[in-house]
Amino acid sequence: MTTTTGAFTARKLGEFEGTLTVSCRTEASDGVVALELTPDDGTQLPAWEPGAHIDLVLGPRLVRQYSLCGDPGDRSRWRIGVLREPQSRGGSEYVHDRLMEGEQVQVRGPRNSFALKEADGYVFIAGGIGITPILPMVARAESSGVPWRLLYGGRTRNSMAFLDELEAYGDTVTVRPEDEFGLLDLATELRDAAPGTKIYCCGPGPLLDAVERASAHWAPDALNVERFKPLALAPGGAFTVELARSNLELNVPPERSILEVVNEAGIDVISSCESGICGTCITNVLEGTPDHKDDILSAGEREAGTCMTICVSRSLSPKLVLDL
């Protein structure tokens, strides 16, 4: 993400958009597969930072985001971990059942909306498959010599991925399977607000909500979270969008998103999750007041009102002028 004075330059897809091959597939835990994706021609992949994710384009309307969980210094391959979701919408089922070693898959990215910021110390909290973006963050904190600790929870020990890799960090990592210890003791873990320390948390919604409550007394910018699913959205009314570069004015009814209306008008906006959690469709706002419904923009970006996710967000003003 880059910013300019008075405006926001929307997050763009990374340098890569093409086909990668599954060069290695392993069982990271019960229900989680780890895939290594490599280019057939041996070229280097784009650089990435902890917290980044890529899109797997699995079909015409089937695009899913997965966090990169390998070594950012190794540009010969990208690694992801994928949980088989019991109520899969098609993505995890496709990965588990069809992406075997030697198979090829379309990939876009990387992008990063969960970047690791500099801090005097870190508290990492992961729930289940939420360990994937945290793994390279832990490695970065360790190599930089900054104090850190990780609290990692899951349903059972066998369901928790990458435990073998985390063993190398010793007591700095606390592993708490729910069937052995119950729910994570967040009140104790986050009781003392440490100045200059940032919290990074990824996992299911109830865990993130609990971390938000337990860290309410920390500094306003201390907590950084990444959600698997969007927050519940309230319906909005109808409004108009003007596409400044396309010289179009479109009506957005209550039951449709800006993204749907814009794409239907022939303006191709790249999108992925369509639920306000990936950042692919972030668009600059030239006039009007967005009604932010996403779970990705920062408080400062929302207050500035110079960008919005057009897949879920709406308008507080009768009209929005977008840089499209």
Side-chain angles (χ1 to χ4, degrees):
M1 182 186 74
T2 57
T3 57
T4 58
T5 303
F8 177 92
T9 301
R11 296 176 176 91
K12 302 292 185 181
L13 288 171
E15 301 171 18
F16 186 85
E17 184 168 359
T19 301
L20 296 179
T21 297
V22 180
S23 58
C24 181
R25 173 182 164 126
T26 58
E27 300 293 325
S29 69
D30 289 348
V32 176
V33 294
L35 303 182
E36 291 186 2
L37 308 173
T38 58
D40 286 338
D41 60 5
T43 58
Q44 284 196 328
L45 292 165
W48 60 279
E49 291 293 315
H53 65 271
I54 56 174
D55 293 342
L56 296 193
V57 184
L58 306 174
R61 300 292 297 174
L62 189 60
V63 181
R64 296 292 182 265
Q65 301 78 43
Y66 298 104
S67 297
L68 292 171
C69 60
D71 177 7
D74 182 0
R75 296 178 58 185
S76 68
R77 71 196 67 230
W78 283 339
R79 186 177 71 163
I80 59 173
V82 181
L83 169 70
R84 181 188 284 275
E85 298 281 358
Q87 297 178 327
S88 172
R89 295 182 296 133
S92 69
E93 182 178 293
Y94 186 105
V95 171
H96 276 256
D97 294 344
R98 298 178 62 177
L99 285 189
M100 305 299 169
E101 288 188 11
E103 295 291 331
Q104 294 186 321
V105 60
Q106 290 293 118
V107 179
R108 300 190 304 223
R111 287 174 287 114
N112 200 338
S113 53
F114 191 43
L116 184 67
K117 305 167 188 174
E118 289 188 6
D120 296 332
Y122 298 101
V123 177
F124 299 113
I125 302 173
I129 196 61
I131 191 62
T132 50
I134 300 298
L135 276 178
M137 292 185 179
V138 162
R140 175 64 57 83
E142 178 73 8
S143 65
S144 65
V146 177
W148 64 274
R149 64 185 189 273
L150 166 64
L151 182 62
Y152 180 19
R155 292 181 293 102
T156 66
R157 193 174 294 272
N158 288 341
S159 73
M160 299 171 69
F162 305 112
L163 287 180
D164 55 339
E165 296 182 20
L166 292 170
E167 286 180 357
Y169 298 114
D171 293 341
T172 315
V173 175
T174 301
V175 176
R176 288 291 182 266
E178 185 177 347
D179 64 340
E180 298 177 30
F181 297 94
L183 297 176
L184 297 179
D185 186 3
L186 298 174
T188 298
E189 190 72 26
L190 301 175
R191 177 180 54 210
D192 299 323
T197 296
K198 293 191 181 298
I199 305 166
Y200 279 81
C201 179
C202 184
L207 171 63
L208 271 59
D209 294 341
V211 170
E212 288 178 349
R213 292 192 297 270
S215 64
H217 58 293
W218 285 58
D221 63 345
L223 178 61
N224 303 267
V225 302
E226 183 172 60
R227 292 182 180 270
F228 298 153
K229 298 179 181 179
L231 296 169
L233 303 180
F239 56 95
T240 300
V241 291
E242 178 184 332
L243 310 185
R245 286 188 281 118
S246 304
N247 197 28
L248 287 175
E249 189 164 293
L250 307 171
N251 293 319
V252 182
E255 71 278 4
R256 305 195 69 195
S257 69
I258 299 174
L259 178 65
E260 290 175 316
V261 171
V262 167
N263 283 343
E264 189 176 84
I267 309 302
D268 187 21
V269 177
I270 296 176
S271 62
S272 184
C273 72
E274 298 188 11
S275 55
I277 58 175
C278 78
T280 306
C281 70
I282 291 177
T283 301
N284 287 340
V285 178
L286 304 179
E287 294 180 28
T289 306
D291 183 11
H292 297 291
K293 304 288 187 180
D294 66 277
D295 192 45
I296 191 169
L297 293 179
S298 69
E301 290 166 350
R302 291 181 181 219
E303 184 177 355
T306 55
C307 66
M308 66 187 298
T309 57
I310 63 172
C311 63
V312 293
S313 296
R314 303 191 68 79
S315 180
L316 294 174
S317 53
K319 182 178 179 178
L320 287 174
V321 180
L322 303 180
D323 186 22
L324 291 172

